[in-house]
Amino acid sequence: MTSPNADSAADQTKPDEAKPDEAKGPTEWNEGRHGVGPWEGPLPQGPEAAKYDPELLAEGDRRNVVDAYRYWSREAITEDIDKRRHSLHIAIENFENDANIGTVVRTANAFAVDTVHIVGRRRWNRRGAMVTDRYQHLMHHESVEKLIAWAAEEGLTVVAIDNTPGCVPLETAELPERSLLLFGQEGPGVTQAAQDAAVMTCSIAQFGSTRSINAGVAAGIAMHAWIRQHADLANSW
């Protein structure tokens, strides 16, 4: 079982101790400047004390979390986010082991998405998630058909995101409040089965020479489009 302080231990791994394939990325190079040291002053008391992690209080908190969650246990953070999660769901197809899933999960966490659904292969590269998958609900579906059936049972409207002929521009589309935004893989894009099951496919306006943008970037753009239409910005950090 992973200890509540596993986040802290993972974040404090020194670069020269990491294996070559686990080298730190740009967002981690200056991680030493972030976080806080051991708790100073009297320890938290009363009912609120239960949300704090004793190890983090004693050793400091270097995790990738907002300041409001410093020293909180992983379980307490997830429980608090659950009180504010949006009705938005995100799904990404993973038939070719897409490396962008970690980025999608990290962005979904930032926007308090209800659940990220992985369609196809169960395993995915978690490096891009920057440990945010520990606070984000995830669900696996073996096929697009099973995902669509699940969405129908939950009353979610499926909207595919892809740049194909006949798409609705995301910039002018009205996204349903109870949406499941479905993304394809880098390269092949959304499968035909997914597009056929979606109420519409939305495209992201592009103006340069590239045929497509990174799947992780596209997911972030689409999530924020939903946020602009439906989220209560008073609840943001």
Side-chain angles (χ1 to χ4, degrees):
M1 179 179 294
T2 304
S3 67
N5 197 26
D7 306 37
S8 180
D11 285 354
Q12 294 184 66
T13 300
K14 296 180 180 179
D16 57 357
E17 294 176 348
K19 298 178 182 178
D21 61 343
E22 297 176 349
K24 293 183 178 297
T27 57
E28 299 168 283
W29 289 341
N30 295 320
E31 68 178 12
R33 301 178 184 178
H34 305 293
V36 290
W39 182 276
E40 298 181 1
L43 293 176
Q45 301 292 327
E48 290 294 304
K51 67 187 179 185
Y52 292 97
D53 185 307
E55 291 187 37
L56 294 174
L57 290 171
E59 301 174 9
D61 189 351
R62 299 288 187 269
R63 299 172 301 172
N64 177 27
V65 298
V66 296
D67 289 344
Y69 288 144
R70 289 297 178 200
Y71 304 109
W72 286 33
S73 70
R74 184 194 309 179
E75 295 77 13
I77 293 174
T78 303
E79 182 179 347
D80 189 68
I81 298 174
D82 283 345
K83 298 175 183 177
R84 301 179 289 103
R85 286 194 193 276
H86 295 118
S87 58
L88 174 64
H89 289 247
I90 300 299
I92 182 166
E93 296 179 309
N94 186 37
F95 299 113
E96 298 179 2
N97 197 24
D98 198 308
N100 293 293
I101 294 177
T103 301
V104 174
V105 170
R106 182 181 181 185
T107 306
N109 169 266
F111 292 135
V113 163
D114 187 294
T115 303
V116 174
H117 303 262
I118 312 298
V119 185
R121 295 187 179 187
R122 182 180 295 273
R123 296 188 62 182
W124 54 279
N125 188 333
R126 283 172 160 73
R127 289 181 62 192
M130 295 284 288
V131 304
T132 55
D133 54 305
R134 298 176 180 177
Y135 313 98
Q136 177 61 54
H137 298 307
L138 305 172
M139 185 177 295
H140 174 256
H141 304 267
E142 294 180 355
S143 65
V144 171
E145 290 75 16
K146 291 188 176 182
L147 169 71
I148 299 303
W150 180 89
E153 292 177 357
E154 297 296 319
L156 295 170
T157 301
V158 179
V159 176
I161 307 295
D162 202 356
N163 277 17
T164 54
C167 288
V168 178
L170 178 64
E171 294 74 21
T172 58
E174 293 186 12
L175 299 174
E177 185 170 358
R178 288 188 55 77
S179 287
L180 186 151
L181 302 184
L182 176 55
F183 300 87
Q185 306 172 105
E186 194 74 25
V190 177
T191 59
Q192 189 61 51
Q195 291 193 48
D196 291 343
V199 67
M200 63 178 170
T201 298
C202 291
S203 61
I204 297 173
Q206 297 178 201
F207 303 89
S209 63
T210 182
R211 295 182 64 248
S212 63
I213 58 177
N214 176 271
V217 173
I221 293 171
M223 283 187 242
H224 195 255
W226 186 96
I227 289 294
R228 286 172 60 92
Q229 294 181 27
H230 300 292
D232 183 355
L233 298 183
N235 291 329
S236 68
W237 296 119

